[in-house]
Amino acid sequence: MPKPGRTVERGYGPKHKAERLKAKRVVDAGRAYCWRCGGWINPAEPWDLGHDDHDRTRYRGPEHVKCNRS
């Protein structure tokens, strides 16, 4: 059983990891834009895989850490 607070319990299990890997390829290639603000994501900077604001089971795409966590 996963410990409380672990990534799987917070909703970042195999599906999230697979989606993030797909997005990572685009980010690493320098072709990613933040789905929230529309700005380019620098591959050298940290980024998050953003969820839909109303349905956390849906992923919207890569986003700047600041855009995702503010």
Side-chain angles (χ1 to χ4, degrees):
M1 191 77 179
K3 293 181 183 178
R6 293 193 53 185
T7 56
V8 171
E9 286 189 345
R10 293 187 320 229
Y12 301 113
K15 180 181 175 187
H16 177 85
K17 290 177 183 177
E19 290 296 322
R20 185 168 167 90
L21 182 59
K22 282 194 260 182
K24 184 179 183 316
R25 292 180 186 122
V26 177
V27 172
D28 288 349
R31 298 188 323 260
Y33 291 86
C34 177
W35 79 267
R36 192 172 298 275
C37 77
W40 178 68
I41 297 176
N42 182 334
E45 295 179 9
W47 57 278
D48 291 330
L49 178 59
H51 291 94
D52 184 273
D53 290 339
H54 303 288
D55 181 356
R56 287 193 47 82
T57 65
R58 295 183 58 205
Y59 295 105
R60 296 294 303 263
E63 53 182 312
H64 297 110
V65 169
K66 182 178 178 182
C67 292
N68 186 41
R69 300 181 192 187
S70 61

